[in-house]
Amino acid sequence: MQEYIEFFQHNMILSLVWVGLLAALIMNIVKSSTMAYKEITAAQTTTLMNRESGLVVDIRSKDEYKKGHITDSVHILPSDIKAGNFGSLENRKSDPIIVVCKTGQTAQESANLLAKAGFENVNLLKNGLTAWSEANLPLVRGKK
């Protein structure tokens, strides 16, 4: 034990960096285990859509949605979700819901709000439509 104390005293900066990394790792583990939603990959998204009647909720702007969206996705703005206007989602509270944005960052708040509103199986497409496109999965273009 004495060796550890000596090491910490002689290498204070290295020791502080190590403690900081350990704290960040613990916080990340706690955060991921207490999230109201689950982050999933593009492959898991297709599985949910095809086998479990999963519904994709696209929260990007109307113009971005028209430029390309996942087949059968529902377009709802984050402001509508904040206001509690879920539209056609209200009937699908027990179905898997996959929230999608461009990069996966802005969808986090909407996913949390949906989970708090009583949706039982809320998921978030990790890295958003960027990951979907990188996996060479199809997008529907134009009006819907």
Side-chain angles (χ1 to χ4, degrees):
M1 186 68 177
Q2 184 63 30
E3 298 99 16
Y4 294 121
I5 294 171
E6 259 182 62
F7 177 81
F8 287 127
Q9 288 174 343
H10 293 299
N11 301 292
M12 192 62 98
I13 293 175
L14 180 63
S15 301
L16 290 174
V17 168
W18 185 84
V19 169
L21 287 173
L22 182 62
L25 178 64
I26 291 170
M27 287 174 44
N28 191 16
I29 291 170
V30 169
K31 180 184 172 192
S32 65
S33 65
T34 60
M35 286 190 306
Y37 59 88
K38 180 181 170 189
E39 282 190 341
I40 60 173
T41 64
Q44 291 170 315
T45 299
T46 59
T47 301
L48 281 178
M49 290 171 63
N50 294 330
R51 295 190 182 155
E52 298 181 34
S53 302
L55 177 67
V56 175
V57 176
D58 195 321
I59 64 163
R60 297 173 301 142
S61 71
K62 197 173 200 175
D63 290 336
E64 287 178 317
Y65 183 78
K66 285 180 184 177
K67 287 180 184 175
H69 57 271
I70 297 172
T71 304
D72 296 330
S73 64
V74 175
H75 182 245
I76 299 178
L77 295 173
S79 57
D80 291 336
I81 293 173
K82 283 180 187 175
N85 300 329
F86 304 119
S88 62
L89 291 182
E90 203 64 51
N91 304 336
R92 313 246 342 234
K93 285 200 172 191
S94 61
D95 291 342
I97 303 292
I98 304 112
V99 184
V100 176
C101 67
K102 185 175 181 179
T103 62
Q105 298 301 311
T106 56
Q108 293 175 358
E109 182 181 3
S110 295
N112 271 324
L113 290 171
L114 287 171
K116 287 179 184 175
F119 289 87
E120 299 169 14
N121 188 356
V122 179
N123 302 279
L124 175 77
L125 177 57
K126 188 175 183 176
N127 298 325
L129 277 184
T130 303
W132 186 268
S133 297
E134 286 174 358
N136 292 320
L137 293 167
L139 292 175
V140 177
R141 304 200 190 288
K143 286 188 178 181
K144 183 177 178 190

